[in-house]
Amino acid sequence: MLLDIKNTLKEVTSRVNIGNYDGSLEEYLCDILRKYSNDVYTKNGNVIANFGIRTDDKPHILLDAHIDQIGMVVTYITDEGFIKVSNVGGLDKRLLSAQEVTIHGKKNILGVICTLPPHIKGNEDEVLNIDDIFIDTGYPKERLENIVSLGDYVSFRKDFLNLVGDRVSSPSLDDRCGVVALLKVAEALHGISLDCSYTIMFSSQEEVGERGALIGAYDINPDYAIEVDVSFGLTNSENPRKCGELGKGAMIGFAPVLDRCMSKQLVQIADSCNIPYQVEIMNGETGTNADRFSVSRGGVKAVTVSIPLKYMHTPVEVIDVNDVQYTANLVVEYLKRLH
C-alpha cells in the first residue's frame, strides 16, 4: 500500500521533537524506513537508513531532512504559578500573544500565553519579547512544580488542517514535509537497482545550529548530499524573486556554497522528466543543513531542494502536498542517473 502524503504529514506533525525531545517520532520513522531498508538505526538524535551496497567504485549520496521543530523551554516558575520560557529556535515573536501551548512535563498539561486586554494595554501594536512571556496553566505553584521542571519543553498546540484543494496547515511542516518527501523516495526506489548507494538521514537540532547534520555527515562521509528543506512561499506582499509559489514544484537551490553542477543537473532532469520546479537563488549560505555538508571533512558536494512554505516558524505553516510529491520525484530521478 502506497504511503499517503497527507495522512503521513498528519502523523509526523502530531509528534513533538524540540531539540532531541520525544523518541516517538524517531520510532515511527524507523518503522516506516524498515519497510525499505535492513539497516536502520538512531544515533545522537538522528534517524539513519542505508540503502544499497556501498563500494569504492560507486558514489554514495546523503539525503537529509530535519525532524526538529521550533518551540520553547521552561526557565522559571513564578510565585503566582506562571511559567517563564525562552525560545528554542527562531520564533516569530509577533505570534506569541494568546497562543495555546502544551508543556511537556511529567505529563503533558495545557496552557495559554497571557495577554492583556486591549482596553488596558498601553501600546496595542507592541510585539512581545520572549522575556515578557508568561504561561498560565491554572495550577498554583506548589502543584505545578510537581509536574513541570525547569528545562521541560513547550510546544504550540494546533491541529492539522486540510485547507482547500491540496493545501494543509500545521505546526512543524518545517521540515516534516521534507521528511515525508524522502519517505516517498525510499518507497519509489524500493527494489530498483541503482549505480549508487545512498543514506536517508532525518537529522536533529537543525533549528539550534544544524548540529545533527554536522555530526551525521561526518559519520556517513558521503560524496554528494541533497538537503530537502522548506523555503519561503509567496503570499501577497513578499518580493516574488525571493519566494516560490505553492503548487509549482520544488525550489532548486543555486548558491555560492552549493555545487553548481548538481543544481544544473537537477534543472536538466526536471525539464526532461516534466517535473514542475522553481529556481531559488541565494547569495551566500542557504540557512539549511547543506551549509554544514559543504564543509564536512574534506567537503561534500551539496545542493538544496526546498518545498515552498507559507508562514514559516509559526503554528500555522502552509504547504501544497503536490510539492512534496514533486520533490520526491525529482530526487528519485536524480538518483536513477547518478553513477
Side-chain angles (χ1 to χ4, degrees), residues 152-164:
D152 286 342
Y153 288 116
V154 179
S155 63
F156 293 104
R157 185 173 179 267
K158 291 291 183 181
D159 293 328
F160 184 92
L161 299 178
N162 286 297
L163 303 179
V164 172

Side-chain angles (χ1 to χ4, degrees), residues 70-81:
I70 60 166
M72 295 171 284
V73 61
V74 176
T75 58
Y76 186 71
I77 298 175
T78 72
D79 291 339
E80 297 79 15

Side-chain angles (χ1 to χ4, degrees), residues 252-269:
I252 300 171
F254 284 80
V257 300
L258 301 178
D259 185 81
R260 193 168 184 83
C261 289
M262 291 184 72
S263 299
K264 286 184 174 180
Q265 287 169 350
L266 285 168
V267 168
Q268 292 168 357
I269 290 168

Side-chain angles (χ1 to χ4, degrees), residues 37-274:
S37 170
N38 294 321
D39 187 7
V40 179
Y41 60 97
T42 61
K43 186 176 181 181
N44 298 318
N46 294 337
V47 176
I48 298 168
N50 293 311
F51 300 82
I53 299 173
R54 189 167 184 174
T55 60
D56 291 338
D57 60 340
K58 290 183 178 180
H60 188 78
I61 184 166
L62 171 62
L63 311 177
D64 176 71
H66 71 86
I67 56 174
D68 64 311
Q69 66 196 86
I70 60 166
M72 295 171 284
V73 61
V74 176
T75 58
Y76 186 71
I77 298 175
T78 72
D79 291 339
E80 297 79 15
F82 294 105
I83 293 174
K84 297 289 291 178
V85 295
S86 187
N87 59 296
V88 178
L91 287 180
D92 186 340
K93 298 179 181 65
R94 296 171 299 174
L95 62 86
L96 290 174
S97 182
Q99 288 287 342
E100 300 176 0
V101 297
T102 300
I103 301 96
H104 303 278
K106 292 183 177 66
K107 64 178 182 179
N108 288 347
I109 60 173
L110 305 181
V112 294
I113 295 178
C114 306
T115 181
L116 286 174
H119 314 74
I120 60 175
K121 187 172 174 62
N123 182 3
E124 296 182 12
D125 297 324
E126 181 183 2
V127 175
L128 289 176
N129 187 286
I130 194 69
D131 294 330
D132 301 324
I133 294 300
F134 291 84
I135 295 175
D136 188 353
T137 66
Y139 284 98
K141 182 180 182 181
E142 57 272 16
R143 289 187 62 192
L144 189 60
E145 288 180 325
N146 291 325
I147 305 170
V148 176
S149 302
L150 304 188
D152 286 342
Y153 288 116
V154 179
S155 63
F156 293 104
R157 185 173 179 267
K158 291 291 183 181
D159 293 328
F160 184 92
L161 299 178
N162 286 297
L163 303 179
V164 172
D166 293 310
R167 297 191 178 185
V168 297
S169 175
S170 175
S172 72
L173 285 171
D174 174 9
D175 182 33
R176 306 289 165 78
C177 62
V179 168
V180 175
L182 291 185
L183 290 176
K184 293 296 289 184
V185 170
E187 177 186 69
L189 292 175
H190 186 52
I192 294 177
S193 179
L194 300 173
D195 289 328
C196 67
S197 56
Y198 69 99
T199 296
I200 288 178
M201 179 169 71
F202 298 138
S203 55
S204 64
Q205 301 188 70
E206 190 269 353
E207 300 290 3
V208 290
E210 298 152 1
R211 296 166 56 85
L214 185 64
I215 57 179
Y218 187 91
D219 263 359
I220 295 164
N221 192 22
D223 302 298
Y224 302 93
I226 295 178
E227 176 59 29
V228 179
D229 207 328
V230 298
S231 194
F232 305 111
L234 184 67
T235 55
N236 58 9
S237 59
E238 298 90 350
N239 186 337
R241 292 179 298 168
K242 297 181 180 180
C243 301
E245 294 187 53
L246 271 62
K248 293 194 175 181
M251 301 166 69
I252 300 171
F254 284 80
V257 300
L258 301 178
D259 185 81
R260 193 168 184 83
C261 289
M262 291 184 72
S263 299
K264 286 184 174 180
Q265 287 169 350
L266 285 168
V267 168
Q268 292 168 357
I269 290 168
D271 284 333
S272 64
C273 296
N274 295 315

Side-chain angles (χ1 to χ4, degrees), residues 273-292:
C273 296
N274 295 315
I275 301 171
Y277 73 95
Q278 305 169 74
V279 170
E280 180 178 24
I281 307 299
M282 294 159 280
N283 64 354
E285 290 191 337
T286 68
T288 73
N289 285 338
D291 299 334
R292 305 285 76 80

